[in-house]
Amino acid sequence: MIPIIKLFFLTGLLLMLSSSVFAAQSAEINDFIREMANRHAFNQNSLTDLFQQVKIRKSIVKLIDRPKSSSNKRILAAWDPYRAQFLTADRIEAGVNFWQQNARALQRAESAYGIPPEIIMGIIGVETIYGKNTGGYRVMDALTTLAFNSKQRADFFRKELEEFLLLAREENADPLALTGSYAGAMGLPQFMPSSFRNYAIDFDGDGKRNIWTNPTDTIGSVANYLKHRDNYGWQAGEPVIMAAQVRDQTAADTLLALEYEPKYSLQTLKEQGLLFYGDVPDNTLGILIDLKTDLGVAYWVGFPNFYVITRYNRSNRYAMAVYQLAQEIAAVYHENY
Amino acid sequence: MKTIKLLSTCLILITTLITCTTAPRTVPPPSTTNTLPSQTTTVEKPAKVTPVVAPTPYVRYSATGSATWYQLADHGLETGSGEIYDLYGKTAAHASLPFGSRVRITHLANDESATVIINDRIQSGGSLIRVSYVVAKELKLLGQSNSQVSVTTLPPLK
């Protein structure tokens, strides 16, 4: 999923800037339409009709193609201001209410997939404040804009556009009626079309996979995603993340240069200079997590379950925000219910 | 021959009886209550009991005093309870409250409050409670000269 933080500020601006520069991309779009017709037996005329109703939103591209940093050095962005955006009293309260209203679906998700309710609460809270900010773009507009204007990620968005057309056909939905973020992330859990097709589920048995307005389907879909996304699935009862220390810079650099995947044991990480005192067996797999706090750089060991959260959005700050929001919501929920 | 056989049978019986009656005196049965080493001189090993996580005893407690907070260098170190200190954890150290106690801390100068779990012991030093960095931030203690707080225990969760 793609972070939607900036969405709030930019929605108004983008509405003003939308323009139809359809002609400029028409050749490329026509090629794409032919490809879809050949590959998936779409009706070429219907697709042409559909794309003629699409509005290209140029300003979306600026949000996606950010200048790349020229050096290879990792630059740590400040964590506390990021945290402050997500761990707000309003969001925690909204989470407690959403949990209370959907307690049964969350219980079912925990018994079926092993995902603790608070982790699902953390994700839906960070993504959309439980449906409050799902994004007001037509997914067709957003994905077409990006697929034919993004310089860095056009292939990714063309693939997602293809997935979206298939999704609309499979779900019997009008592609122009489905809404999402500026990047095409949809509904309460902000699933991209490919994630929707692979992981969204009908969790209330009404025959539809509705992540736009149905909290039960959303909860089941997020749980299914966390359990089954590639090789790493959530392991019930296993730790998520624990504080650690690294006292010299060389050791920190070595540990952070390791592949970002929990494939090294605590034993190996300790041999490389990690100081970890938690009551966790040495053969447990982990990755070193660093965040730039107000006090300075602090370290944690992220366990495979932490890595699972980063599969939703590949960012330490994102996964930590989900985890900490989850803890806060759980504390208040258990105090009251 | 018959008398010898009879005698030996009697002897065996008698010795068995004697051993039977004397046995409890020489080998006391394992007692479940004894704790003194002098009473446990037998080879009997105490039964292995799987530790049961006892609910945190609820101590009604209320006090006011000054608060301090942990440093970055404490992040990742073991607390008195065995948990690892995390600067973003809602935890605190206190001199005597049982580990696992939930307490409400209120910064008296500004009425900001936070709920924390006691998981560490405070060493002598005059302060009532030492809170995690994030709790100090929430209570707006950072950079304040007045760090007077009230500490009140909360009933345990159901």
Side-chain angles (χ1 to χ4, degrees):
Chain A
M1 308 301 128
I2 284 155
I4 51 140
I5 324 150
K6 288 190 173 163
L7 192 62
F8 320 125
F9 314 109
L10 293 160
T11 310
L13 184 71
L14 288 168
L15 286 172
M16 289 185 281
L17 289 171
S18 68
S19 62
S20 68
V21 285
F22 184 72
Q25 291 94 24
S26 65
E28 271 191 295
I29 292 179
N30 284 337
D31 287 348
F32 181 78
I33 289 171
R34 264 193 300 278
E35 210 181 307
M36 292 303 103
N38 290 338
R39 200 181 296 162
H40 304 296
F42 279 106
N43 180 305
Q44 203 166 320
N45 291 335
S46 313
L47 278 190
T48 307
D49 280 354
L50 172 63
F51 276 94
Q52 262 158 11
Q53 294 172 71
V54 166
K55 288 196 177 90
I56 298 293
R57 297 178 180 276
K58 273 210 131 176
S59 46
I60 289 182
V61 182
K62 290 178 193 147
L63 302 176
I64 296 292
D65 284 346
R66 295 198 189 88
K68 272 186 180 167
S69 121
S70 50
S71 83
N72 288 325
K73 200 170 150 57
R74 283 174 82 247
I75 296 161
L76 273 186
W79 157 245
D80 288 276
Y82 183 94
R83 179 182 191 274
Q85 282 185 298
F86 294 105
L87 278 92
T88 61
D90 284 357
R91 206 180 295 250
I92 292 164
E93 194 192 328
V96 171
N97 292 337
F98 191 87
W99 186 337
Q100 199 250 327
Q101 285 153 15
N102 297 286
R104 194 159 146 58
L106 286 161
Q107 254 168 33
R108 282 205 293 127
E110 186 168 25
S111 33
Y113 301 99
I115 321 290
E118 63 265 28
I119 296 296
I120 298 173
M121 290 294 86
I123 284 180
I124 306 173
V126 167
E127 290 294 337
T128 61
I129 321 184
Y130 312 98
K132 202 175 158 202
N133 296 312
T134 54
Y137 293 97
R138 297 196 304 190
V139 176
M140 270 307 290
D141 291 351
L143 289 178
T144 306
T145 299
L146 291 163
F148 300 100
N149 290 281
S150 169
K151 287 179 185 67
Q152 294 160 10
R153 301 178 69 193
D155 289 347
F156 169 79
F157 287 111
R158 273 179 212 203
K159 180 78 189 123
E160 289 298 335
L161 182 57
E162 177 178 0
E163 296 275 342
F164 180 71
L165 293 173
L166 293 168
L167 176 165
R169 182 166 73 182
E170 288 158 4
E171 299 297 310
N172 241 332
D174 173 6
L176 293 170
L178 299 176
T179 55
S181 76
Y182 68 86
M186 306 174 298
L188 272 72
Q190 295 285 283
F191 273 15
M192 291 301 285
S194 56
S195 293
F196 183 98
R197 292 189 66 225
N198 287 323
Y199 304 106
I201 58 167
D202 168 21
F203 204 45
D204 65 357
D206 68 352
K208 294 190 197 92
R209 302 193 277 175
N210 176 2
I211 58 166
W212 288 269
T213 56
N214 186 325
T216 305
D217 285 357
T218 300
I219 287 163
S221 299
V222 171
N224 185 43
Y225 183 95
L226 294 177
K227 185 66 194 172
H228 293 125
R229 170 76 205 253
D230 28 84
N231 296 327
Y232 292 90
W234 185 275
Q235 298 299 314
E238 294 299 314
V240 178
I241 190 162
M242 283 171 83
Q245 296 199 347
V246 183
R247 287 191 195 143
D248 78 274
Q249 195 53 49
T250 320
D253 290 344
T254 309
L255 286 160
L256 292 166
L258 295 173
E259 203 178 328
Y260 191 83
E261 211 180 304
K263 61 199 314 195
Y264 307 97
S265 68
L266 282 173
Q267 166 94 43
T268 305
L269 299 175
K270 284 174 181 175
E271 283 160 10
Q272 301 295 323
L274 172 79
L275 300 171
F276 177 73
Y277 306 107
D279 187 13
V280 176
D282 259 0
N283 60 359
T284 311
L285 302 176
I287 27 175
L288 184 70
I289 305 297
D290 58 340
L291 291 176
K292 189 176 145 198
T293 77
D294 284 347
L295 298 176
V297 176
Y299 297 99
W300 286 262
V301 173
F303 296 103
N305 281 346
F306 185 81
Y307 184 77
V308 170
I309 303 174
T310 71
R311 305 307 291 142
Y312 214 95
N313 187 335
R314 198 187 165 97
S315 147
N316 283 339
R317 290 194 303 168
Y318 171 87
M320 189 63 122
V322 165
Y323 177 72
Q324 291 188 2
L325 179 63
Q327 303 308 303
E328 298 279 320
I329 292 171
V332 180
Y333 181 82
H334 292 307
E335 204 166 322
N336 291 289
Y337 302 104
Chain B
M1 282 294 274
K2 268 191 179 176
T3 38
I4 296 167
K5 212 175 186 180
L6 210 121
L7 261 171
S8 55
T9 320
C10 280
L11 257 169
I12 291 164
L13 260 170
I14 287 160
T15 34
T16 319
L17 272 170
I18 289 166
T19 29
C20 278
T21 45
T22 51
R25 278 178 231 147
T26 49
V27 188
S31 156
T32 47
T33 49
N34 74 55
T35 46
L36 294 175
S38 58
Q39 290 178 288
T40 56
T41 45
T42 63
V43 287
E44 289 268 344
K45 276 189 182 168
K48 269 210 170 176
V49 180
T50 33
V52 177
V53 181
T56 306
Y58 174 36
V59 181
R60 275 174 202 280
Y61 170 94
S62 198
T64 58
S66 68
T68 54
W69 49 94
Y70 290 80
Q71 302 303 305
L72 178 61
D74 299 314
H75 178 80
L77 296 183
E78 201 172 0
T79 62
S81 68
E83 286 177 14
I84 303 302
Y85 169 72
D86 184 317
L87 71 132
Y88 293 101
K90 298 294 184 68
T91 61
H94 186 270
S96 59
L97 284 169
F99 293 145
S101 298
R102 292 168 67 240
V103 306
R104 190 89 184 141
I105 307 174
T106 305
H107 186 187
L108 298 175
N110 59 17
D111 224 30
E112 298 284 347
S113 64
T115 302
V116 306
I117 307 282
I118 301 296
N119 75 345
D120 202 5
R121 282 284 165 253
I122 206 163
Q123 311 303 325
S124 58
S127 71
L128 173 66
I129 197 156
R130 182 167 71 241
V131 299
S132 70
Y133 168 74
V134 79
V135 172
K137 200 173 167 181
E138 273 185 24
L139 295 174
K140 298 195 167 73
L141 283 165
L142 303 172
Q144 296 298 303
S145 51
N146 185 345
S147 64
Q148 287 293 298
V149 297
S150 70
V151 172
T152 307
T153 51
L154 298 171
L157 299 172
K158 289 150 259 164

